[in-house]
Amino acid sequence: MSLFEWFFERDNPGPTGSVETYHHKLNWPRFWIIVAGTAALIALLFFIYYLPFNQLEAFVLRDACLATLFTLAYLVLSYYIYIKPDYDNMGYLGFIDNPFKYTDDVNRFMLFFQALLLPGKIIAIPIVNLFSLCFKRKN
């Protein structure tokens, strides 16, 4: 944060986005939930087991456990955390820094993390909805 940003927005900061927790429920037909969930499970297994170990000569259990742990933690964070930046306060033209406002820096930072969590959302949301469809209690 530069001195200009602190001086001009010290008393009246601009709008920033929010970070919320959100449970994603797909209102799709059962067939599409099953198709999307199965595709996401196949992609998840591909990313966990094939990509890290295709260059190794021997399978290392410790590395497989670490890859699984970090991937699952990323998917849980991606599923529950919903970052919503304020798109009206992103600087000039949406990407050029406004030297007199620090809140546009905060919103661009939030946009970066929203993009970082997007692949996890694409994988986690269909899997959770598939499991909720398969293991739903029948009353």
Side-chain angles (χ1 to χ4, degrees):
M1 180 165 65
S2 70
L3 187 60
F4 286 128
E5 291 173 332
W6 178 79
F7 183 70
F8 284 105
E9 269 199 327
R10 176 180 48 165
D11 296 327
N12 188 14
T16 58
S18 62
V19 178
E20 302 168 358
T21 58
Y22 185 72
H23 179 70
H24 302 276
K25 176 79 171 127
L26 296 178
N27 294 321
W28 294 355
R30 284 183 172 198
F31 174 75
W32 292 114
I33 290 177
I34 292 170
V35 168
T38 305
L41 277 173
I42 291 169
L44 176 65
L45 292 175
F46 177 77
F47 285 123
I48 288 178
Y49 292 109
Y50 179 72
L51 285 181
F53 305 112
N54 65 348
Q55 300 297 325
L56 297 177
E57 294 176 5
F59 182 79
V60 180
L61 182 62
R62 183 194 61 165
D63 293 341
C65 290
L66 282 174
T68 304
L69 180 72
F70 284 123
T71 304
L72 291 178
Y74 169 69
L75 290 177
V76 167
L77 285 174
S78 296
Y79 182 76
Y80 282 110
I81 295 178
Y82 184 69
I83 299 175
K84 206 163 110 174
D86 184 6
Y87 295 108
D88 294 331
N89 186 14
M90 297 289 272
Y92 300 119
L93 300 175
F95 60 91
I96 300 172
D97 184 36
N98 184 348
F100 303 111
K101 297 172 83 174
Y102 70 88
T103 53
D104 67 329
D105 300 337
V106 173
N107 285 319
R108 279 197 311 277
F109 189 68
M110 292 173 84
L111 182 67
F112 169 74
F113 276 107
Q114 184 184 31
L116 189 69
L117 293 176
L118 182 64
K121 287 185 189 312
I122 292 171
I123 297 292
I125 292 170
I127 291 173
V128 170
N129 283 286
L130 176 69
F131 285 152
S132 69
L133 181 67
C134 292
F135 300 114
K136 187 192 310 186
R137 280 196 219 172
K138 298 190 180 182
N139 294 331

